[in-house]
Amino acid sequence: MQEELNDNLLQADGNENTQSQTAVNEAIETIENLNAQVSEDTTLEAEHDIPMQNYEAMDMDKLVVELEHLIATDKIMAIRNHVEEIKHAFLSKYNHFIEEKKEEFLHDNPNSDEEFEYHSPLKSKFDSLYNSYKSSKNTHFKSLESKLKSNLQLRLNLIEELKGLINSNENIKDLLKQFNDLRERWKNAGSIPKDKYNHVWNNYHFHVENFYDILHLDREARDLDFKHNLEKKVKIIERAKELLNDADVFKAFRELQLLHKVWKEEIGPVSKEKRDEIWNAFSDVTKQMHEKREAMFAQHRERETENLNRKKEIIAQIEQIATEKIEVHSAWQGQINKVEALRKAFFEAGKVPVDVNEQTWTEFKNAVRNFNTNKNSFYKDIKREQQANLDRKNALVAKAKELMESDNFEATTPVMKKIQEDWKQIGHVPKKFSDAVWAEFKEACNHYFDRLHAFRNQNEAVEVEAFEKKKDYIEKVKAFEFTGDHKTDLDAIKAHIETWKSFGRVPFARRHIEGKFNKVLDGLFENLTSSKKDAEMMRFNNRLEQLAGEGKQKIDSEKVFIQRKVEEVQHEIFQLENNIQFFANAKKDNPMVAEVTKSIERHKEELAMWKEKLKQIRTL
C-alpha cells in the first residue's frame, strides 16, 4: 500500500514537473516568436510606443484625422494595427451611414428608376489616405524581402565559416582573432526572415559553444570570457526579476523581450557546468512574467465580455424603442434623440471578443434599421406638410419680389419686415427645394433693404444739418424770458416747439438732443403762470408727437404705462374713500377728515389728467 502511495506521489510530481516545463517552453516560445518578428522588421519596435485608442468611440471625421496623423508621423509597420482598427471603425460607421441615406432615398423616391448614389468627400479622403498607406507598406515589404534574403545568406555563410574555424589547425591566437572578427560581422549582419530566426540563431550558438568546448583554447582566456558572459547573464536575470514588480505588465514584458534578444544575440556562452543552471533561472523568471501577461490578457477578455453584455443591452433597448407606437412629431424627436444616444453609447462601449464582433455589429444594424423604418413611415405624412410650407414660402417670395422696387419706403418697410417675420414662422420645406427658395427670398429682401439703406444714406446729410440747427436753437430756448402775461408766454413757447419741429429729424445716434429739448420745455412749463394741468397736457402733446415719429411700439408702451397709472390712482381713491367711512360720526372740521378729503380731491384731479392723456393717445 505504501509502495503504491509512493508511486502515486512520484507520478504526481512527474506530472507537475511536466506541466511546469510545458509552461516554461510556452513562455520561451512566445518571447522567441515575438523577437523573431521584431528581428525581421525593426520598425515594429515603435508600435508599442503608440497608445491604442478607443477608435470605435470616435466619429468618422476624427478617425480620418487620426489616420492622417499616424501616416504622416510614424513608421509604416509600427502603425499597422492602429490603421486596421481605424479602418474597421470607419467602414462600420460609414456603411451604417450609407444604409440610412439609401433608406431615406428609397423613402423619398418610392417609384423612381434612378439609382441611389451618394458621394462623400470624407470617404474619398479616407480611401486616399488608406491607399497611400498600403502603397507605402507594399514598397516597404518589397525592399525588406530582398534585404532579408541577403542577410540570411550572409549569416548562413558566417555559420559555415565558424564550422571551418572549429576544424582548423591554426594556432589559438589566430583562431581567436578570426573568431572575434566573425562575431563582430555576425552582430552587424542585419535582419532575417522571422521563420528562419530561431533555427539560424540556435545553429549559430551551437557552433559557438562547440568552438569553446571542442578546441583546446587557452584555459585562462576561455574561463575569463565565460566569467564575463556569466556576469552579464546574471545581471539580465536580476533585471528580469525586478520587472516582475513593474505595475505596467506589458511594458515589462517588452523589456523582457529585449533582455532575451541581448542574451541570445549579444552575449556569448558560459561554462558548460553553468549553462543549464543559468538558462533555467532565466527561463523561470520568463515563465512568471508570461503568466502575469496571460493574466492581464484574461482581464482584457473579461472586459471585452462586459463590453459585449453592455452592447447587447443597448441593442435590446433600441429594439424596444422600435416597437413603441408614436403619433406626434415631438415624441418622435425624443425617440430619435434616445436612439442617437444609444448609438453613441454602443460605439463608446469598447471592444468585444473577436469571434462575436461581426454578429454583434449585424444585430446592432438591424435594430437601428427597424427603428428607422418606423420613423420613415411616420414622416411620410410630414412631407405633405412640408409641401404646404413650400407653397406658403413661394407666396412670400412672390410678394417680396413685387415690393422690392418700391420707392414708398415708409409704407413698404413695415410690410417687408412682416414678410420676413412670417417667413420665420413657416416650418420646414422639402430639402431639395430649401436652399433654392431661401436664396430667392433672400435676394429679393436684400435688394429692397439695400435700396432703403442707400436712400437713408442720402438723407443722412439732411439729418446732420437738422441736428446742428437744433443744437444751436436749444441755447436760444434756454435764454427764454417770461413777460408775465400767460397767453403771450404760452404762444411763445408753442412757437418754439413748432420751430423745433420744422428742423426735421436728426440722426438716430444723436436723438438724445430731443431729451435735452424736453428738459428745457419742462423748466419753462414749470415757470409758466398757468394751471398745472394745462402745462402738463402741453408737455404731453409734445411728447406724443415725438413718439409718433418713433413707431407704433413706442406709442403702445406709453399707452400701457398710462393705463397702469389710471388703475393705480383709481385704487388710491378707492382706498381713501373707504378710509373716510371710519370717520362718519366725526365733526366736519376734524383735521384728519379734512386732510383725507383734500387728498381725494387731488387724486381725482390727477385721475382726470391721466384719463385725458389716455384719450389723447388713443386718438393716435
Side-chain angles (χ1 to χ4, degrees):
M1 185 70 177
Q2 182 64 42
E3 290 179 0
E4 184 179 350
L5 179 59
N6 289 339
D7 289 341
N8 289 338
L9 290 172
L10 288 172
Q11 184 178 358
D13 288 342
N15 291 338
E16 184 177 344
N17 289 336
T18 301
Q19 291 173 357
S20 178
Q21 188 57 47
T22 301
V24 170
N25 293 341
E26 182 182 344
I28 298 299
E29 184 180 358
T30 300
I31 291 279
E32 289 187 341
N33 288 339
L34 290 171
N35 276 338
Q37 292 179 19
V38 173
S39 177
E40 180 179 76
D41 190 350
T42 56
T43 60
L44 293 176
E45 292 178 336
E47 181 178 9
H48 301 299
D49 298 327
I50 308 171
M52 183 66 73
Q53 302 187 53
N54 185 5
Y55 295 117
E56 276 196 358
M58 297 181 184
D59 58 30
M60 291 190 291
D61 293 282
K62 179 64 173 173
L63 288 170
V64 171
V65 170
E66 285 294 319
L67 179 60
E68 187 172 25
H69 174 73
L70 286 172
I71 293 174
T73 58
D74 293 293
K75 297 177 180 179
I76 289 298
M77 291 306 294
I79 63 174
R80 57 180 183 164
N81 290 334
H82 294 264
V83 171
E84 293 307 315
E85 288 286 335
I86 289 174
K87 176 188 175 185
H88 178 269
F90 181 88
L91 291 182
S92 295
K93 288 180 169 60
Y94 181 74
N95 291 336
H96 187 66
F97 172 76
I98 287 298
E99 286 180 5
E100 288 187 337
K101 288 296 180 184
K102 187 173 182 179
E103 285 180 8
E104 289 179 10
F105 172 80
L106 295 176
H107 181 265
D108 293 343
N109 306 275
N111 302 317
S112 175
D113 295 330
E114 183 182 355
E115 290 288 333
F116 170 74
E117 290 183 7
Y118 189 86
H119 173 68
S120 169
L122 190 64
K123 177 63 163 57
S124 300
K125 184 174 183 179
F126 173 83
D127 290 341
S128 174
L129 289 169
Y130 187 74
N131 290 335
S132 172
Y133 159 76
K134 286 202 303 183
S135 176
S136 298
K137 189 172 72 169
N138 291 337
T139 301
H140 175 79
F141 275 137
K142 288 179 182 178
S143 172
L144 183 64
E145 185 179 9
S146 173
K147 190 183 298 182
L148 292 174
K149 288 181 180 179
S150 175
N151 293 342
L152 174 62
Q153 189 57 51
L154 175 58
R155 290 188 183 273
L156 293 176
N157 292 340
L158 289 173
I159 291 174
E160 293 301 318
E161 189 176 334
L162 178 57
K163 290 180 184 179
L165 289 180
I166 295 173
N167 299 318
S168 174
N169 294 323
E170 295 184 41
N171 62 63
I172 293 174
K173 184 177 180 180
D174 289 340
L175 284 176
L176 277 174
K177 183 179 179 181
Q178 293 178 52
F179 176 70
N180 288 331
D181 174 66
L182 185 146
R183 283 206 304 181
E184 192 63 30
R185 283 185 286 143
W186 178 271
K187 188 185 296 184
N188 299 317
S191 303
I192 62 175
K194 63 183 178 183
D195 59 332
K196 305 291 184 183
Y197 174 79
N198 287 321
H199 173 73
V200 170
W201 273 97
N202 290 336
N203 196 8
Y204 169 71
H205 282 291
F206 172 78
H207 292 296
V208 168
E209 290 174 352
N210 278 348
F211 181 82
Y212 279 98
D213 295 340
I214 296 174
L215 291 182
H216 301 291
L217 298 175
D218 177 81
R219 181 176 295 277
E220 184 178 350
R222 184 190 66 177
D223 290 348
L224 185 61
D225 199 21
F226 281 164
K227 181 182 177 184
H228 288 326
N229 292 340
L230 180 61
E231 289 173 352
K232 292 178 181 176
K233 290 190 174 182
V234 168
K235 286 182 179 179
I236 285 180
I237 293 172
E238 290 174 352
R239 176 57 186 158
K241 288 179 179 178
E242 291 175 1
L243 291 175
L244 290 174
N245 299 319
D246 196 321
D248 190 339
V249 176
F250 293 114
K251 178 186 174 189
F253 189 82
R254 291 197 296 272
E255 186 174 342
L256 182 64
Q257 278 181 248
L258 181 60
L259 294 178
H260 270 269
K261 185 178 178 70
V262 172
W263 181 293
K264 190 169 189 175
E265 299 182 15
E266 298 181 17
I267 304 176
V270 300
S271 62
K272 208 166 190 179
E273 61 271 17
K274 290 285 186 180
R275 284 176 194 167
D276 289 344
E277 178 187 345
I278 198 78
W279 173 247
N280 288 338
F282 190 35
S283 299
D284 183 60
V285 179
T286 301
K287 173 196 165 202
Q288 294 179 57
M289 180 63 76
H290 179 71
E291 288 172 348
K292 288 188 68 175
R293 180 170 177 259
E294 286 301 306
M296 290 296 293
F297 279 134
Q299 290 181 14
H300 284 189
R301 287 191 290 272
E302 183 178 349
R303 192 175 302 120
E304 287 180 349
T305 301
E306 292 174 357
N307 295 342
L308 174 62
N309 293 334
R310 173 62 181 142
K311 288 192 172 183
K312 285 183 175 180
E313 289 175 4
I314 291 171
I315 292 169
Q317 290 180 51
I318 296 175
E319 289 174 342
Q320 172 60 34
I321 292 174
T323 64
E324 295 175 7
K325 300 298 182 184
I326 306 298
E327 302 295 340
V328 294
H329 169 69
S330 58
W332 267 111
Q333 291 303 303
Q335 298 292 77
I336 291 169
N337 291 337
K338 286 181 186 177
V339 171
E340 189 57 38
L342 289 170
R343 284 185 59 190
K344 184 179 179 183
F346 181 89
F347 289 125
E348 292 177 348
K351 289 185 177 180
V352 301
V354 176
D355 56 330
V356 295
N357 186 56
E358 288 303 322
Q359 177 187 348
T360 307
W361 174 245
T362 300
E363 291 174 357
F364 171 71
K365 286 195 300 182
N366 289 339
V368 175
R369 184 184 293 112
N370 291 338
F371 171 78
N372 287 337
T373 299
N374 295 337
K375 176 192 70 176
N376 292 339
S377 177
F378 170 80
Y379 280 102
K380 186 175 183 180
D381 294 336
I382 298 296
K383 297 200 69 70
R384 284 195 291 269
E385 180 183 337
Q386 290 183 348
Q387 184 59 48
N389 291 339
L390 178 62
D391 294 340
R392 291 168 64 194
K393 286 192 172 183
N394 280 331
L396 292 180
V397 169
K399 194 169 183 180
K401 285 184 173 182
E402 179 184 340
L403 296 174
M404 69 182 188
E405 298 293 349
S406 172
D407 293 326
N408 187 357
F409 296 110
E410 186 174 354
T412 306
T413 300
V415 178
M416 289 295 286
K417 288 182 177 179
K418 178 67 166 55
I419 290 174
Q420 290 179 321
E421 287 300 317
D422 291 345
W423 181 279
K424 293 176 184 178
Q425 302 306 315
I426 299 175
H428 295 293
V429 302
K431 283 185 178 179
K432 57 184 176 181
F433 300 114
S434 178
D435 291 343
V437 72
W438 165 245
E440 200 173 357
F441 180 70
K442 183 179 178 183
E443 182 181 3
C445 291
N446 285 349
H447 179 79
Y448 173 79
F449 285 105
D450 286 345
R451 292 178 58 248
L452 174 63
H453 294 152
F455 172 77
R456 285 178 174 172
N457 288 340
Q458 291 175 358
N459 292 338
E460 186 176 357
V462 176
E463 291 180 353
V464 170
E465 183 181 355
F467 173 78
E468 295 298 332
K469 289 180 179 179
K470 287 188 175 183
K471 187 170 69 172
D472 294 337
Y473 193 75
I474 203 170
E475 298 301 323
K476 182 178 179 181
V477 178
K478 285 180 181 179
F480 178 81
E481 293 183 359
F482 289 92
T483 64
D485 179 70
H486 167 68
K487 186 174 185 311
T488 302
D489 292 338
L490 183 60
D491 291 342
I493 292 174
K494 287 182 178 179
H496 282 310
I497 293 173
E498 292 303 318
T499 302
W500 180 270
K501 292 177 184 177
S502 69
F503 293 142
R505 297 175 58 175
V506 299
F508 184 82
R510 301 183 182 185
R511 296 188 68 179
H512 59 274
I513 198 169
E514 301 292 346
K516 290 183 178 181
F517 180 68
N518 287 334
K519 285 185 179 180
V520 174
L521 286 182
D522 287 344
L524 295 180
F525 284 128
E526 288 293 332
N527 294 318
L528 186 64
T529 56
S530 64
S531 72
K532 181 179 179 182
K533 180 179 178 182
D534 291 342
E536 178 61 26
M537 290 307 300
M538 186 176 293
R539 257 198 313 259
F540 179 70
N541 286 329
N542 181 60
R543 174 171 171 74
L544 279 187
E545 291 184 9
Q546 290 179 3
L547 289 176
E550 295 179 12
K552 183 176 182 297
Q553 187 175 358
K554 291 282 188 179
I555 296 174
D556 288 342
S557 178
E558 183 72 12
K559 180 180 177 182
V560 170
F561 171 76
I562 294 172
Q563 287 173 332
R564 190 177 296 119
K565 295 301 293 185
V566 168
E567 291 171 0
E568 288 177 1
V569 176
Q570 284 177 333
H571 180 72
E572 286 292 328
I573 293 172
F574 174 78
Q575 285 292 106
L576 290 170
E577 289 178 341
N578 187 53
N579 291 342
I580 207 170
Q581 298 301 319
F582 293 105
F583 301 98
N585 298 323
K587 294 181 179 181
K588 292 184 179 181
D589 59 350
N590 186 303
M592 189 172 290
V593 174
E595 181 61 32
V596 173
T597 302
K598 287 181 182 180
S599 183
I600 292 173
E601 292 303 319
R602 285 197 303 271
H603 278 80
K604 286 183 176 181
E605 290 177 5
E606 184 181 358
L607 178 62
M609 184 178 65
W610 283 116
K611 286 184 175 181
E612 180 64 24
K613 287 184 178 181
L614 186 60
K615 181 179 178 182
Q616 291 284 3
I617 201 168
R618 282 173 174 167
T619 60
L620 294 179

